[in-house]
Amino acid sequence: MKSVTMVSAGALAVVLNVVPSTQAIADAIHRSGTEHSVGLPGPNGALSADRDKDKDKDKDKGKGEKGDRGQRGPRGFQGHQGHQGPQGFQGVPGATGAQGPQGEQGDPGATGAQGAQGEQGDVGATGAQGDPGVQGPQGDAGAQGFQGDAGAQGPQGDTGAQGPQGFQGETGAQGDPGTLDTYVVAGEADVATSTALCFDNDVATGGGYQAADGTTVDRNSPVFAAIGAPATGWQAHTVAPPEGFQAFAVCAVVP
């Protein structure tokens, strides 16, 4: 039951208790469907207070004047949420938006793990033969080698047959005192090994060398033509620069 206050034109206000008609409720259910709830329609507006009076007065004249429109009924209760409708058609894709500004540079990522070692590659082809190098300069001549050692002594010959002893000769006269004829031979100068040899069959009775002060000499000796034979010259050798170095021999003439 709803309590509604209505005021008709030219009449006092009265309070009416109005019940919605059965037809109004049925219309509301029909319009909303069985699965939806809607608010009930409001009550019909109240008639004027002199309705019956006018009806009796104008009974022969037909329907009386229309009463004032009743106030709007209260808002019905909120209906239940309806079922989800089917999904609509796919809309037309929108236009591509403008390119956004480039973002800031991100921080460098962490270093990745060391990859596995690859397989051994094939051996490359042999390269082309290079051009011959430039001929180097001629080297300096080497120093003269030392005097080679004398050869081995030959075998002793067979002793000849003993001849007959001769007669004892007479004693000869005393001879004049003898003399020794000598000379000096110089070897090649400014070389590390300098050798001075006597002439012909002459023999060396001595020898030596001349050199600058402080010169180191590691050889200074006579030269022999054969083992057991007399010396035939002199030889000297230095390990220092040979400038001014020279050997010499003192030779005696053999008649």
Side-chain angles (χ1 to χ4, degrees):
M1 297 290 289
K2 300 292 183 178
S3 178
V4 181
T5 301
M6 304 296 295
V7 178
S8 61
L12 295 174
V14 295
V15 176
L16 300 178
N17 290 327
V18 182
V19 178
S21 66
T22 304
Q23 182 64 39
I25 296 174
D27 290 343
I29 295 174
H30 176 71
R31 287 193 302 270
S32 62
T34 58
E35 295 181 357
H36 294 75
S37 295
V38 297
L40 296 176
N44 294 329
L47 299 178
S48 63
D50 57 354
R51 175 182 177 185
D52 294 336
K53 180 179 180 180
D54 291 339
K55 182 178 179 181
D56 293 337
K57 182 178 180 180
D58 299 326
K59 185 175 182 181
D60 297 333
K61 296 181 180 180
K63 188 175 181 179
E65 295 180 358
K66 183 176 182 179
D68 296 332
R69 182 180 182 89
Q71 293 182 350
R72 183 180 182 87
R75 182 182 182 87
F77 294 105
Q78 176 67 37
H80 296 294
Q81 176 72 33
H83 292 292
Q84 175 70 33
Q87 181 172 344
F89 296 105
Q90 176 67 37
V92 179
T96 302
Q99 176 69 36
Q102 180 172 344
E104 297 181 0
Q105 176 69 35
D107 296 332
T111 302
Q114 175 69 34
Q117 181 172 345
E119 298 179 358
Q120 176 68 34
D122 297 333
V123 178
T126 302
Q129 177 67 35
D131 297 332
V134 179
Q135 178 69 34
Q138 178 67 35
D140 298 333
Q144 180 175 341
F146 294 108
Q147 175 72 32
D149 296 334
Q153 173 103 16
Q156 178 70 33
D158 297 334
T159 303
Q162 178 71 37
Q165 182 172 351
F167 294 104
Q168 179 67 39
E170 294 178 357
T171 300
Q174 178 68 37
D176 296 331
T179 58
L180 182 63
D181 188 8
T182 61
Y183 57 91
V184 176
V185 177
E188 184 178 1
D190 300 331
V191 293
T193 301
S194 179
T195 304
L197 298 176
C198 299
F199 303 130
D200 301 329
N201 295 325
D202 296 343
V203 295
T205 60
Y209 64 89
Q210 61 180 7
D213 292 341
T215 301
T216 301
V217 179
D218 60 357
R219 183 172 181 180
N220 182 33
S221 60
V223 176
F224 298 94
I227 297 177
T232 58
W234 203 268
Q235 187 178 72
H237 178 265
T238 179
V239 296
E243 183 177 359
F245 183 72
Q246 186 178 31
F248 64 87
V250 178
C251 300
V253 177
V254 176

Short mmCIF file of all heavy atoms in Angstrom, two decimals, residues 20 23 27 45 49 52 67 74 90 97 109 115 118 136 138 158 161 180 189 193-194 196 206 231-232 242 245 248:
data_model
loop_
_atom_site.label_atom_id
_atom_site.label_comp_id
_atom_site.label_asym_id
_atom_site.label_seq_id
_atom_site.Cartn_x
_atom_site.Cartn_y
_atom_site.Cartn_z
N PRO A 20 -1.99 -0.34 -6.76
CA PRO A 20 -1.82 -0.43 -8.21
C PRO A 20 -2.75 -1.49 -8.75
O PRO A 20 -2.96 -2.55 -8.14
CB PRO A 20 -0.37 -0.85 -8.38
CG PRO A 20 0.29 -0.39 -7.13
CD PRO A 20 -0.73 -0.54 -6.06
N GLN A 23 -3.91 -4.93 -13.81
CA GLN A 23 -3.50 -4.75 -15.22
C GLN A 23 -2.18 -3.99 -15.32
O GLN A 23 -1.32 -4.31 -16.14
CB GLN A 23 -4.61 -3.99 -15.97
CG GLN A 23 -4.28 -3.80 -17.47
CD GLN A 23 -4.19 -5.12 -18.18
OE1 GLN A 23 -4.98 -6.05 -17.91
NE2 GLN A 23 -3.23 -5.25 -19.10
N ASP A 27 1.17 -5.45 -17.09
CA ASP A 27 1.86 -4.71 -18.18
C ASP A 27 3.34 -4.53 -17.88
O ASP A 27 4.20 -4.66 -18.75
CB ASP A 27 1.19 -3.36 -18.39
CG ASP A 27 -0.21 -3.50 -18.99
OD1 ASP A 27 -0.48 -4.61 -19.52
OD2 ASP A 27 -0.97 -2.53 -18.91
N GLY A 45 -3.68 8.55 -10.60
CA GLY A 45 -3.93 9.81 -9.92
C GLY A 45 -5.30 9.83 -9.23
O GLY A 45 -6.26 9.19 -9.68
N ALA A 49 -12.53 15.74 -5.49
CA ALA A 49 -13.43 15.42 -4.38
C ALA A 49 -14.89 15.47 -4.77
O ALA A 49 -15.75 14.80 -4.17
CB ALA A 49 -13.16 16.37 -3.22
N ASP A 52 -18.32 12.42 -7.60
CA ASP A 52 -19.66 11.81 -7.57
C ASP A 52 -20.74 12.84 -7.76
O ASP A 52 -21.77 12.62 -8.39
CB ASP A 52 -19.87 11.06 -6.25
CG ASP A 52 -18.92 9.86 -6.13
OD1 ASP A 52 -18.46 9.35 -7.20
OD2 ASP A 52 -18.65 9.42 -4.99
N GLY A 67 -10.03 14.40 -14.24
CA GLY A 67 -9.39 14.90 -13.06
C GLY A 67 -7.93 15.31 -13.30
O GLY A 67 -7.34 15.03 -14.34
N PRO A 74 6.42 6.78 -6.70
CA PRO A 74 7.83 6.61 -6.28
C PRO A 74 8.59 5.69 -7.23
O PRO A 74 7.99 4.87 -7.90
CB PRO A 74 7.70 5.99 -4.88
CG PRO A 74 6.38 5.29 -4.91
CD PRO A 74 5.46 6.13 -5.76
N GLN A 90 34.03 -6.84 -34.48
CA GLN A 90 35.36 -6.21 -34.37
C GLN A 90 35.34 -4.84 -35.03
O GLN A 90 34.95 -4.70 -36.18
CB GLN A 90 36.41 -7.11 -35.05
CG GLN A 90 37.80 -6.51 -35.07
CD GLN A 90 38.35 -6.43 -33.67
OE1 GLN A 90 38.12 -7.30 -32.85
NE2 GLN A 90 39.08 -5.37 -33.38
N GLY A 97 49.42 5.35 -34.68
CA GLY A 97 49.81 6.58 -34.00
C GLY A 97 51.19 7.05 -34.42
O GLY A 97 51.96 6.32 -35.04
N GLY A 109 73.90 -4.65 -20.28
CA GLY A 109 73.61 -5.95 -19.68
C GLY A 109 74.87 -6.61 -19.14
O GLY A 109 76.00 -6.22 -19.46
N GLY A 115 81.70 -18.67 -24.26
CA GLY A 115 81.21 -19.72 -25.14
C GLY A 115 82.22 -20.86 -25.27
O GLY A 115 83.40 -20.71 -24.96
N GLY A 118 85.51 -23.30 -30.34
CA GLY A 118 85.14 -23.86 -31.64
C GLY A 118 86.10 -24.94 -32.09
O GLY A 118 87.18 -25.13 -31.51
N GLY A 136 124.02 -9.91 -49.86
CA GLY A 136 124.76 -9.20 -48.84
C GLY A 136 126.16 -8.79 -49.32
O GLY A 136 126.65 -9.30 -50.32
N GLN A 138 130.26 -8.42 -49.59
CA GLN A 138 131.35 -9.38 -49.50
C GLN A 138 132.02 -9.26 -48.13
O GLN A 138 132.38 -8.17 -47.69
CB GLN A 138 132.38 -9.11 -50.62
CG GLN A 138 133.58 -10.03 -50.60
CD GLN A 138 133.22 -11.47 -50.94
OE1 GLN A 138 132.33 -11.68 -51.75
NE2 GLN A 138 133.87 -12.42 -50.32
N ASP A 158 168.09 -48.67 -44.28
CA ASP A 158 168.97 -49.78 -43.86
C ASP A 158 170.44 -49.33 -43.76
O ASP A 158 170.88 -48.46 -44.53
CB ASP A 158 168.89 -50.94 -44.85
CG ASP A 158 167.47 -51.52 -44.90
OD1 ASP A 158 166.73 -51.39 -43.88
OD2 ASP A 158 167.07 -52.08 -45.95
N ALA A 161 176.73 -51.57 -45.64
CA ALA A 161 177.80 -52.52 -45.21
C ALA A 161 179.01 -51.75 -44.68
O ALA A 161 179.32 -50.66 -45.16
CB ALA A 161 178.20 -53.39 -46.38
N LEU A 180 180.83 -16.58 -38.47
CA LEU A 180 179.40 -16.87 -38.68
C LEU A 180 178.75 -15.70 -39.39
O LEU A 180 178.75 -14.57 -38.87
CB LEU A 180 178.69 -17.13 -37.33
CG LEU A 180 177.21 -17.49 -37.42
CD1 LEU A 180 177.02 -18.80 -38.18
CD2 LEU A 180 176.60 -17.61 -36.01
N ALA A 189 153.85 -7.35 -42.13
CA ALA A 189 153.46 -6.42 -41.06
C ALA A 189 151.95 -6.21 -41.05
O ALA A 189 151.24 -6.44 -42.04
CB ALA A 189 154.18 -5.09 -41.28
N THR A 193 148.98 -12.82 -37.60
CA THR A 193 150.04 -13.84 -37.57
C THR A 193 151.11 -13.43 -38.58
O THR A 193 150.85 -13.38 -39.78
CB THR A 193 149.49 -15.22 -37.94
OG1 THR A 193 148.45 -15.58 -37.01
CG2 THR A 193 150.59 -16.26 -37.90
N SER A 194 152.28 -13.15 -38.06
CA SER A 194 153.39 -12.71 -38.92
C SER A 194 154.50 -13.77 -38.87
O SER A 194 154.88 -14.23 -37.79
CB SER A 194 153.95 -11.36 -38.44
OG SER A 194 155.03 -10.96 -39.25
N ALA A 196 158.40 -14.93 -40.40
CA ALA A 196 159.65 -14.54 -41.09
C ALA A 196 160.46 -15.81 -41.35
O ALA A 196 160.78 -16.55 -40.42
CB ALA A 196 160.44 -13.56 -40.24
N GLY A 206 167.58 -17.27 -34.01
CA GLY A 206 166.79 -16.49 -33.04
C GLY A 206 165.68 -15.73 -33.79
O GLY A 206 165.53 -15.83 -35.01
N ALA A 231 165.73 -24.90 -37.01
CA ALA A 231 164.69 -23.90 -37.30
C ALA A 231 165.03 -23.17 -38.59
O ALA A 231 166.19 -22.89 -38.87
CB ALA A 231 164.58 -22.92 -36.14
N THR A 232 163.98 -22.85 -39.34
CA THR A 232 164.18 -22.14 -40.62
C THR A 232 163.49 -20.77 -40.63
O THR A 232 163.45 -20.10 -41.67
CB THR A 232 163.60 -22.98 -41.77
OG1 THR A 232 162.20 -23.22 -41.52
CG2 THR A 232 164.35 -24.30 -41.88
N PRO A 242 146.08 -5.73 -35.10
CA PRO A 242 147.45 -6.01 -35.55
C PRO A 242 148.23 -4.80 -36.09
O PRO A 242 149.32 -4.97 -36.64
CB PRO A 242 147.22 -7.02 -36.67
CG PRO A 242 145.88 -6.65 -37.23
CD PRO A 242 145.08 -6.19 -36.06
N PHE A 245 152.09 -4.57 -35.90
CA PHE A 245 152.63 -5.85 -35.42
C PHE A 245 153.42 -6.55 -36.55
O PHE A 245 152.96 -6.61 -37.69
CB PHE A 245 151.47 -6.74 -34.96
CG PHE A 245 151.91 -8.05 -34.38
CD1 PHE A 245 152.52 -8.12 -33.13
CD2 PHE A 245 151.72 -9.23 -35.09
CE1 PHE A 245 152.90 -9.34 -32.60
CE2 PHE A 245 152.12 -10.44 -34.56
CZ PHE A 245 152.71 -10.50 -33.32
N PHE A 248 160.11 -11.13 -36.80
CA PHE A 248 161.41 -11.14 -37.53
C PHE A 248 162.22 -12.34 -37.07
O PHE A 248 162.00 -12.88 -35.97
CB PHE A 248 162.18 -9.83 -37.30
CG PHE A 248 162.59 -9.61 -35.85
CD1 PHE A 248 163.78 -10.12 -35.36
CD2 PHE A 248 161.75 -8.89 -34.98
CE1 PHE A 248 164.15 -9.90 -34.05
CE2 PHE A 248 162.12 -8.69 -33.66
CZ PHE A 248 163.33 -9.19 -33.18
#
